[in-house]
Structures are given as structure tokens and as C-alpha cells.
Amino acid sequence: MGQNSGAEKTYLLVPILLIAVLTSTAVIRSPSLVTLPGLGSAIIVAAPIILATYALMATTIAGRGTIDLAVGPLLAFINVTIVRLNGLDIVTDPIPVFLLALGIGVLYQILFALVIIVVRVQPIIVALSGYLALSGINLVILRRPGGTAPTWMSDWGAGETIFSPVLLIVLLATGGWLLFTATTFYSNLRMMGYDERAAYTSGVRIYLARLGAHVISGLFVGLAAICYTALISSGNPNAGGQITLTAVTALVLGGVALSGGRGSVTGALLGAVTLFLIGYVLSTFQFGAIQSFVTDLAYGTILVSSLLLTLLVPIVARHISFVSPYAAFIVLATVVGGIILHVATYDSFVVAPSVAQALGDPVANKALAVPDDNLVQRYFVLPEVASGGTGGIGPVALSLTPLQQIAFATAAILVLVVFTARMFVVEAVTPRLSLFLYIFIGALIVLTFVTLAQSGPGAAAAAAGEIP
Amino acid sequence: MSVAERETARRSPLAAPRSMFLLWFNIALTFVVAAIGFGMGFAQGLAAQLVILYTIVSAAVFLWFANAVTVVFEDRLAAPETHADEESAARQPSWWRRNWVMLLAMAVLLVLYLVVTATVEAFRQLEYLITFVILELILLFAFKVSVHFPRTRSAFIGLMILAALLVISAFTIDGFLSAPSIRALLLFAAFLGIASVGQTMVALLGGLDLSIPFVIGAANIGLLFLISLGVPPWVATGFVLLLGALLGLINGLLSYRLQAQALIITLGTGFALAGLVQILTSIGSEQAGNVMGTVPGWLRNLAAMNGTTFGLAVPPAIIIWIVLSVLIILFMRYTAYGRYIYALGGNRESARLLGISELKYWTLAYIVSGFFSAVTGCLLLGWSGGGFIDVGENYLFMTLAAVVIGGTSLAGGQGGYGFTVIGVLVLQLLSTFLIGIGLNYEWQQFIFGLLILPMVALYSRAPPIRSQV
């Protein structure tokens, strides 16, 4: 069990490392990401990708190579249907719109499942067929991008705050999936995806399981379509291809096996976030007219290389089975959190090269922090600095002699290193995160939000002013 | 023993029935059909040369087809009933259970026809009645007669649909059988057919290549870009074709270890290639994504609608496609390379034991695919006269649809380029028909999407899980 779970989780190392690097790059290049509106709009932009990836994952886990390439066109289909019906004043209220979106998604997926079960055609053919048919009908419904989303949706996409309904949808979807993984149905589904014959002979009702997977996928597509409609607040019949490519890439990056049976919501989430960050970082470079080409090139290359990585991972996993991806996540999150805090609280955004380099390493970071009075202020007494004053300073840090400071710093670093190493080893053999890490991650997130809220509009304005 | 004989009889492409009576019967039938066509041609007022040409061609095709059908039935009658057959016949389900799908489909069609005729005034015409009867006949043929051709069942159905579509289109669309219309049909079929060469090869090995549209688009703008830079057109074309083959090589090598995910890998490489070529061609130009330039005359003549081959008013692209088709069909049938591809597609393990290198043939198939995609891209440049990255967009699923509708199994080992040619013609004819009755591109896409499923369902269904355990 220990070996297995370790090997399975090794797939997560790739997106985790990528996320750490990309988040740092994104934050340094465009500090407005870590303001409240910045994060809010980031969540809104990322939500459709995340939900579409979940939708794709549900059917992919069911095996037989059920990579539902039609997920993008289906999303676009629901999107244009909502916009079109809203334009005709037929379906405008929230509840009917939700019912409509989820209903279309589920209906289509049930049809898909029935074709696979009854007609017994390869699922990929059904998916391609659906892709073609839906792309065509999307253009019939809405000839070119346009139209308006329902009015109650328009302020969803504004991204003024983090706590938008879109975040609620994403959280509910993720939570729902986590609950779903606890059921017997999910284990049956995974077993079927891994080996359908074995599942059949051990009494799993495979047709029911497959149907269930598709229903869940349909629900997620419906939610993704609602988030997408809120994001662009209009209809786009041509969105399908790009969304499919992004979702498939996210899925592969997140370590979900395209042949079925292996996959986790953490992986899908991390993969989708990585893809969003890649798009974000690329957009900060401002390639101008060739922006979309660069994005295509990047997505394509990442898709291929992450597929090739899946070949390499089992070999790597044998050698680093003591490394827990979750522990790596904690360590990297701390580093990235440091960078975020640094950037978010920097009144005028100027990064000295030495500081930027030092930030890459937590140990160097701490060592640097001790002698520098200013940095101590910045990292331990955030509200005072952010409110613009020289203000109250933790007296403990200053009343020490240099020797004591070095001694304390060394001790702190030693404790940290030992703790981290211990955590790596312990976490590597557990199938799930321990309670402590959940609390730790929660605390990190809350701290980030509190900081952002405290640093407030001043920092946001300064950061926004920095990006022309 | 008799099975082996039957196999050889069916393999022979120019089989004649053993009974002299049947042979003469077929010839007589051919003459009747040819005479009808001859008369109809003059009635339409076509040029005499054209009518004669069409009559000869159609008579030859008809005779060949009739003979092939007769041979199959002759063999079947000659073969003694084996014990196993009797046993399975005893276990066969009732008549209703064997035929319910067909009856249901025919009933649905009937109801549909009656409802439409009852509601739409313009529909009450003889043409639509004929159309309806032909569709019912196709269903009957597809379900009952095609069973007697287990190997070429899809080709048989494809040919039936082709014939039916021809008849229906000729009835409903004015000027469908005119020379320009047929030339355009064949020209587009040639583009699709050349693009589908690689897809067929790859599908025979059990893979898929989704990078084809991107290679087509990239070759299209890449060639024009190189020409506008001042590179001699011949050199530029050679270079582009080489690059296409190179991408195929990359595809093959990358996807070899991940054959189940070849689809996704080629999608990724395709996107990367399209992005890269667009970046390269956009550097230093004001309008990103658009390439300006003049296409050389010979390339334009090669694929343009008014191109001529040795003075004949037929675009060379069509001739190239026909020659290529014949070459590839012969090649796949009679050379070691072709046979090895079938061997590998049929059973990897036995092929490996025979000493056939899987890596070599897998990669070669993808190289062929990349090469012919680039050829299509160059031809499309000659056709349109301007570079456009999305020119290949349709070919993403059209190549696949052609392969699937033709009847090449995507699991590998069954089918061939001859089937794909039928698939290409069916698709192109259907497309012309849909345009003719006034449906635009989106509706075509929708209908093609829905069409793929029943076509695949007809001949490549997986056995139920019960029987796999």
C-alpha cells in the first residue's frame, strides 16, 4: 500500500513543481494577481477549465479510453443555448438556467453512455462524432460570438472579490467529488476503468457504473458551462476546440491515466490550475499579435511532454518513493507564499535582483531576513507596514545580540529542516494527507487572504499602476 | 480446403463467374444499364464524347461489380454445408429477433416520410418518393445482402450508398451531372483522399493521427512564406514535404511507447507545429497569421479548378490521386511493407515473433501520414492561391470519417486504402448533395457527426463483456 500510494502520488510532483515556478513567475511579473480583484478574476477565469477537467476525468476514469473530446463543444453548446434562450426571453431566471445547463449536460452524457453500452462502439469514435455534431449545431444556434448572458450572471464575472458565486461552485464541485471518492460506487468505477473484465467477474454492475460516471460528467459540464457563460457574459460557438485541448492537457498533467482507472481530484485540480497559470504567465509577456500562436505552441508542447513524462514517472518513483508530493507541496507553498507576501506588501514594486534570487530558497530567505531590519518588519508585522507606517515592531527580534541572532536562526533552520525531512518520509507512505497538513494549508490560505485584505486597496492600486 | 479456395477466389480482383450463363447474364444486364445511361446522357444534352466516355466507364464498373457479386454467391452455393453451420442454425433466434433492427429502421423511415409528406406541401413529388424507396432499399441491402460479404461488407454498403446518393442527387439537384460539378467533386475528393492516405495507414496499425489538419495548414502557409522569401518554388515544396515527413517521424517516435494515447500526442504536436509555424512566419510581418505572396503557375495549375493535364480539362490533382490510389492499393496488397502493416495491425505478438519490427512500421506509417498531409497542404495552396492556417480545419475529422465510413477498423488490421477511397467519395458526394439542397457548412458538420456512428456500428462493434470473460 505504501509503495503503491507513493508511486501514484508521484504523478502529482510535476504539476506541483510547475505550479510553484509558474506562480512565482506570475506574481513577480504581474503583482496584480495577488490583489483581491486579481485573485477573484483569476478564480473566475480558471473555473471553467477546472470544472471541464473534472467532467473529463469522470468519464476517463471509467476506462476503455473514454476521453470525451466533445467536452469543449458540449460546453459551448450549453453556453450558446443559455445565451440564445435568454435572448428570446424564454429561460432567464437562475434556477431554470441551472436546470437547463445541468439537464443538457446529463442528457447528452446519458446518450453517450447508452451508445457505448448498447451499440458497443469504441468510445473515442462516439466522442469524435459528438465533437463534429456539436460543433456544427453550435454554429447553427449562434452564428458568431455574441449575445448576452442572463442579467443576474453579469456581476459574477466582474471579479471584484474572491468570494464570488463562481468560487462557491468550484468549491462545491471539488467537495462533491471528494465526497464521491468515499463511496463504493467510486471504487467500483475505478476498478472497472482499470480492468473491466475483472470488475464484471467480481460482480460490479458495470453498465450502471458507466452510466453513473457519465451522469456525473454531465453535471460538471453543466456547471463549467455556467461558469464560462458568467466569464464571457455572452455566447461563443467556437470555444469548443480550445477548451477540449486545455482540459485534456490538464488531465494528463494531473496524472490521470487516459486508459482509465487512475486519477484524483487533486491531480485534476492541480493540472487545471497549472494550465491557467501557463496562460496567465504567457499573457504577461505580451507577444502582441502572435499571442495565441505562442499559447498554442506552449499547450501543445506541454501536452506532449507531460504525456511522455508519464512514461518516466514510474522509473523516477522507484528512486524517490520517500518523497511525498504533498510534503513537497507544503514546502513549495511556503516558498511561494513568501514570494506572494513579499510582492503583495511591496508598496512600489521594485525587486532587487539579489532579493529575487534569494527568494528562491527558504533557508537563504530566513538567513537574509534576520539581519535586515526592514525585512523583519515586512514579514512579521505586516499590518503596520502595509498601513504605511514605520510602526510597532516585534521587540524580541531586535533585542538580541548578533551572536544570539545567529544561534537562534541556526536552531530555527535546523528544526525546520528536520521537521521537513521527517514530514517527507512520513507523508510518503500515507495514502492521504494527515490532519496537521490540512490545518497547515488552511492556515496558509487564510493568512494569504488576511494579508491581502489588510494590504488593501493601496497596495492593489500601486500594483495595478505598475502594469500598464 | 473449400475455405481456402473461396478465399483465393475472393482475393482475385478480376473474378469471373464459372457458369457461362451467369457471365452472359451479367453482360446482358450491363448492356441494358449502359443503354439506359447512354439514352439519359443524350437526353440531358451533354457532349457526345462525354456521354460515350461515361457509358464505357460505368459499364465497366457495373460489369466488374456484378461479376464480383456473382462469384461470391457461387462460392457460397458450391461450398458444402458444414456441421458447425447446422448447429448454429439450430441455435439461431427467431426471425423477429434477427431482423428487428432493420424492421425498426425501415418503419422509422416510413413514418418519417409519411409525416413529412403529410405536413410539407412541396414534398409531394415523384422525386421524393423515389428517394424514399431508394433509402428503404439501401437499408434492406445493408442488413440482408451485405451479410454475404463478411470482409468487404463496409465497401459493399459504401458502394450502395454511393450509387443511391448519385441517383438521388441527380434527381434533386439541377446540373449535378454536369462536367464542372463532377470536376469540382472529384477535385475536393482528391484533396481529401490524399490527406486520408496517412490516416488509413495509421488506422491499419491501430493508431490515429489528429495532426493532419495542422500539418496541412502549416504546409500551406509555410510554402507560401518560403516562396515569398524568394526560395525557388521547387526547393520550397521539397523542403515543406520533407518537414511534413519529419513531423510524422516525430509523431511516430513519440507515440510509439504510448500507442493508446497516439490521438492525444498527435493533437499536441499538431497544435505545437501550427503555433510554431505561425510564429516563424509572423516574425517581421505586420499582420500576424496572414502570409502574402504569389503562387507559381505550375502549382496553381496542379490543383485549380480550371487546371489542365496534357491538354485535358481535368486538374492534375485528380489524376495524381487516381494514380496514387492504384499504386497504394497495389502496394499494400503485394509488397512486404503492406502485408507487414496488416500483420502488425492484426496481431502484434505474432508479428513480433515473425521478426517484424513494430517500431519501424509504426514510425513509417506516421511518416507517410505527415508527408501526404504536407502534399495536401501544398495542393490546397495551389487551389486557393493564398496561405491560410485554418485551411486544414475540416480535415481533422473528415479524414477520420472517410477512413471509418470506408470501413477500415480503427482497431487495426482490417480495411485498406481502397475502402477509404469509397469513404472519401461517399463523404464528398454527400457534402455536394447537402450543399445542393441548401444546407450550409454547419449542418453538414452536424450530419457527418451523426453519420459516423451508425456507419461504425454497422461493422465494428465490440463483443459484449459477457463473451470477453
Side-chain angles (χ1 to χ4, degrees):
Chain A
M1 182 66 204
Q3 281 297 328
N4 271 343
S5 66
E8 187 152 310
K9 284 187 296 182
T10 316
Y11 286 95
L12 296 180
L13 269 178
V14 180
I16 286 173
L17 283 172
L18 270 176
I19 284 184
V21 174
L22 287 168
T23 316
S24 317
T25 322
V27 166
I28 289 169
R29 285 204 52 87
S30 160
S32 66
L33 179 66
V34 288
T35 57
L36 281 183
L39 265 185
S41 51
I43 289 170
I44 290 165
V45 174
I49 307 176
I50 294 173
L51 292 170
T53 312
Y54 288 173
L56 200 55
M57 179 167 67
T59 54
T60 306
I61 286 182
R64 282 210 221 166
T66 319
I67 309 153
D68 184 9
L69 294 179
V71 70
L74 179 61
L75 194 154
F77 177 69
I78 301 175
N79 166 248
V80 293
T81 312
I82 291 176
V83 167
R84 196 61 202 241
L85 289 179
N86 180 57
L88 297 172
D89 275 338
I90 298 173
V91 181
T92 49
D93 292 333
I95 292 176
V97 166
F98 264 87
L99 283 181
L100 179 79
L102 300 185
I104 294 177
V106 169
L107 264 184
Y108 171 81
Q109 289 290 354
I110 286 181
L111 204 66
F112 188 167
L114 285 181
V115 170
I116 296 175
I117 293 169
V118 178
V119 188
R120 300 192 301 271
V121 181
Q122 283 161 298
I124 196 76
I125 299 293
V126 189
L128 287 174
S129 171
Y131 186 104
L132 209 56
L134 284 173
S135 308
I137 207 73
N138 284 348
L139 286 167
V140 173
I141 295 175
L142 201 67
R143 183 151 284 280
R144 54 185 64 82
T148 48
T151 42
W152 50 269
M153 223 180 236
S154 58
D155 56 331
W156 284 23
E160 293 294 328
T161 162
I162 296 172
F163 302 100
S164 60
V166 175
L167 178 69
L168 192 68
I169 291 178
V170 173
L171 285 182
L172 281 180
T174 313
W177 187 280
L178 283 174
L179 281 182
F180 168 54
T181 55
T183 58
T184 322
F185 176 70
Y186 179 73
S187 2
N188 286 347
L189 185 64
R190 279 189 58 172
M191 182 175 173
M192 181 182 82
Y194 196 73
D195 190 340
E196 193 163 344
R197 281 187 292 178
Y200 179 76
T201 43
S202 47
V204 176
R205 285 193 278 179
I206 51 170
Y207 295 146
L208 214 58
R210 189 168 291 280
L211 203 61
H214 281 269
V215 168
I216 288 164
S217 168
L219 288 177
F220 280 121
V221 175
L223 290 178
I226 287 176
C227 290
Y228 185 73
T229 313
L231 169 67
I232 63 173
S233 35
S234 66
N236 182 6
N238 303 318
Q242 185 69 36
I243 291 178
T244 298
L245 181 76
T246 317
V248 173
T249 313
L251 203 67
V252 176
L253 204 56
V256 179
L258 292 184
S259 49
R262 190 189 68 226
S264 66
V265 71
T266 327
L269 182 63
L270 290 178
V273 171
T274 313
L275 261 277
F276 161 74
L277 283 172
I278 289 168
Y280 189 87
V281 169
L282 284 177
S283 71
T284 62
F285 282 99
Q286 299 185 345
F287 288 108
I290 58 168
Q291 184 76 50
S292 68
F293 311 150
V294 178
T295 316
D296 280 356
L297 176 63
Y299 279 13
T301 318
I302 288 163
L303 177 54
V304 174
S305 44
S306 48
L307 260 176
L308 292 179
L309 266 178
T310 57
L311 285 178
L312 215 62
V313 161
I315 303 166
V316 176
R318 225 175 294 146
H319 295 288
I320 57 162
S321 60
F322 59 91
V323 174
S324 154
Y326 292 131
F329 179 70
I330 301 297
V331 172
L332 289 170
T334 317
V335 177
V336 175
I339 297 176
I340 291 177
L341 289 186
H342 183 84
V343 171
T345 54
Y346 219 99
D347 283 333
S348 60
F349 180 64
V350 184
V351 174
S354 63
V355 176
Q357 277 167 15
L359 284 174
D361 185 359
V363 181
N365 194 355
K366 290 278 185 302
L368 201 75
V370 175
D372 192 328
D373 189 29
N374 191 20
L375 281 181
V376 171
Q377 275 184 12
R378 287 169 48 72
Y379 284 106
F380 292 103
V381 210
L382 284 162
E384 284 83 350
V385 172
S387 56
T390 45
I393 289 159
V396 188
L398 288 182
S399 61
L400 295 173
T401 63
L403 187 67
Q404 279 173 320
Q405 275 185 7
I406 290 168
F408 271 114
T410 320
I413 289 166
L414 267 177
V415 168
L416 243 157
V417 168
V418 169
F419 174 75
T420 315
R422 186 81 196 117
M423 184 173 70
F424 262 80
V425 175
V426 170
E427 285 297 320
V429 293
T430 55
R432 291 195 167 227
L433 282 178
S434 60
L435 184 65
F436 165 73
L437 288 186
Y438 276 118
I439 296 172
F440 189 78
I441 294 174
L444 264 183
I445 293 172
V446 170
L447 188 72
T448 315
F449 282 171
V450 166
T451 316
L452 290 175
Q454 291 279 348
S455 66
E466 193 58 38
I467 297 301
Chain B
M1 189 61 207
S2 72
V3 174
E5 268 173 24
R6 256 195 284 165
E7 289 292 316
T8 48
R10 203 178 304 142
R11 283 273 175 74
S12 163
L14 288 174
R18 259 160 287 166
S19 143
M20 281 316 265
F21 166 72
L22 280 178
L23 183 62
W24 282 108
F25 178 75
N26 282 341
I27 291 174
L29 208 61
T30 310
F31 264 107
V32 173
V33 171
I36 294 176
F38 197 66
M40 293 271 279
F42 274 111
Q44 276 196 337
L46 291 176
Q49 297 96 319
L50 277 180
V51 175
I52 294 170
L53 182 71
Y54 289 162
T55 311
I56 291 174
V57 170
S58 61
V61 170
F62 186 84
L63 184 64
W64 170 76
F65 186 68
N67 278 345
V69 172
T70 324
V71 166
V72 172
F73 276 96
E74 237 176 16
D75 285 342
R76 195 164 294 272
L77 285 177
E81 287 283 318
T82 57
H83 187 64
D85 278 346
E86 278 166 27
E87 206 167 70
S88 68
R91 262 191 282 126
Q92 264 184 353
S94 70
W95 185 83
W96 166 252
R97 290 203 52 182
R98 269 182 288 140
N99 293 314
W100 70 274
V101 180
M102 179 186 78
L103 291 177
L104 197 69
M106 289 177 82
V108 166
L109 199 61
L110 179 66
V111 169
L112 204 70
Y113 174 72
L114 289 179
V115 166
V116 174
T117 318
T119 48
V120 185
E121 191 77 31
F123 220 76
R124 292 173 202 157
Q125 286 176 11
L126 186 63
E127 294 157 13
Y128 291 101
L129 183 65
I130 294 175
T131 309
F132 163 72
V133 172
I134 289 175
L135 284 179
E136 292 277 14
L137 278 179
I138 287 187
L139 276 178
L140 195 66
F141 260 78
F143 278 98
K144 296 272 76 166
V145 183
S146 67
V147 179
H148 299 293
F149 304 86
R151 278 196 172 217
T152 49
R153 188 177 172 198
S154 58
F156 186 78
I157 296 175
L159 285 176
M160 294 316 306
I161 293 179
L162 206 59
L165 270 175
L166 263 174
V167 175
I168 295 173
S169 312
F171 267 114
T172 45
I173 301 166
D174 288 334
F176 176 76
L177 286 179
S178 65
S181 160
I182 291 178
R183 199 184 299 143
L185 184 114
L186 284 180
L187 184 62
F188 287 115
F191 294 146
L192 181 57
I194 294 174
S196 307
V197 173
Q199 191 76 279
T200 312
M201 296 264 186
V202 174
L204 280 177
L205 283 173
L208 276 180
D209 190 353
L210 286 196
S211 68
I212 286 176
F214 305 102
V215 179
I216 291 176
N220 194 278
I221 61 170
L223 180 60
L224 190 58
F225 178 69
L226 286 179
I227 289 174
S228 69
L229 278 186
V231 181
W234 281 104
V235 180
T237 312
F239 186 65
V240 165
L241 296 186
L242 203 68
L243 281 187
L246 188 70
L247 184 88
L249 176 70
I250 295 173
N251 270 339
L253 289 179
L254 287 183
S255 61
Y256 174 64
R257 286 255 163 216
L258 288 164
Q259 294 192 357
Q261 274 98 56
L263 180 100
I264 305 293
I265 290 214
T266 49
L267 193 67
T269 51
F271 255 90
L273 176 81
L276 187 67
V277 170
Q278 275 175 299
I279 292 169
L280 289 180
T281 53
S282 308
I283 287 172
S285 89
E286 293 292 310
Q287 298 150 311
N290 287 329
V291 182
M292 303 295 167
T294 43
V295 182
W298 59 268
L299 186 58
R300 196 181 282 275
N301 178 50
L302 208 55
M305 204 75 83
N306 52 5
T308 55
T309 320
F310 308 122
L312 278 175
V314 179
I318 298 178
I319 309 287
I320 292 176
W321 179 46
I322 294 173
V323 173
L324 193 69
S325 305
V326 174
L327 282 181
I328 289 176
I329 292 171
L330 292 179
F331 182 73
M332 293 300 286
R333 194 174 274 255
Y334 295 114
T335 63
Y337 174 82
R339 300 325 295 171
Y340 283 176
I341 282 198
Y342 281 101
L344 275 167
N347 191 327
R348 292 286 150 86
E349 192 55 24
S350 5
R352 195 181 60 77
L353 291 176
L354 283 174
I356 302 171
S357 159
E358 190 185 348
L359 174 65
K360 180 175 154 195
Y361 287 97
W362 177 270
T363 317
L364 268 174
Y366 273 94
I367 292 177
V368 168
S369 178
F371 178 78
F372 280 108
S373 309
V375 170
T376 314
C378 297
L379 286 178
L380 280 173
L381 179 66
W383 174 72
S384 68
F388 180 48
I389 187 75
D390 283 337
V391 73
E393 208 182 11
N394 298 347
Y395 293 90
L396 175 60
F397 291 114
M398 288 289 266
T399 53
L400 199 66
V403 168
V404 163
I405 287 178
T408 300
S409 157
L410 291 185
Q414 277 184 0
Y417 189 65
F419 291 170
T420 305
V421 170
I422 296 175
V424 166
L425 287 175
V426 166
L427 272 182
Q428 209 55 57
L429 204 56
L430 188 63
S431 168
T432 314
F433 174 68
L434 292 178
I435 293 173
I437 61 171
L439 290 181
N440 48 15
Y441 171 68
E442 297 89 51
W443 278 107
Q444 282 181 50
Q445 211 180 3
F446 178 66
I447 290 171
F448 286 164
L450 294 189
L451 193 76
I452 293 178
L453 263 188
M455 288 305 294
V456 178
L458 267 178
Y459 43 75
S460 70
R461 294 175 64 184
I465 188 85
R466 288 190 295 284
S467 56
Q468 288 177 21
V469 176

